Amino acid sequence: MILGQTPHKKIGIMGGTFDPIHIGHLIIAEQAYDQYGLEKILVMPNGNPPHKKETLYTPIRHRIQMVQLAISDNRHFELSLTEAERNGYSYTFETLEFLKNINPHVEYYFIMGADSLFDFETWREPARICENCTVLAATRYNLKNPELQKQVEYLSSKFKGNFELLKTPNIDISSHMIRRMVEEHKSIQYYVPPDVERYIYRNHLYQMER
């Protein structure tokens, strides 16, 4: 390091609606922390996601509380309200530019599902996303590695970005599946942290039309 130079911190960002947050989210975030030597992971509920304009989702106050319960015992996970408190739709490029403006010496690592690599070009301002972070794509075993690697190389070239494949276990869990299980009175034990499970039932989430 050059004398007088400020050392860069490495911070991960995991965004999502988290409706609800589940163990798949937590495992991916933990793997990113471990594999890339990150200082911490910002877990960032999205208050008004643009890609779900026609979807009814649980009020943000509940989703924030579930995230807080899920990560409370992990010292390197931190709840971020950067997007939850924003008026209007929340776009990733705006979030990253905001964070880089206030923390210019931080290297951000944005965590997404590998499937999102194939529609990344449709995101708002993808080049500006790439300017402000390294994209970590959590690999899933239903996608062949050559397909993923080819897409990584294509996006890296087109947007002059840094895309990395994150190695994660094949855990096929989705928030939609958990909501349906609750509606159908099926057990969600072990799919979500115990405190989140209790919160869902105590607040009658996903058990009736919202």
Side-chain angles (χ1 to χ4, degrees), residues 17-29:
T17 52
F18 300 122
D19 194 13
I21 191 169
H22 54 71
I23 63 165
H25 295 127
L26 301 174
I27 290 172
I28 289 172

Side-chain angles (χ1 to χ4, degrees), residues 46-49 81-91 94:
N46 192 314
N48 201 7
L81 301 180
T82 300
E83 293 191 342
E85 295 178 339
R86 183 179 297 150
N87 293 325
Y89 293 124
S90 295
Y91 293 101
E94 293 178 327

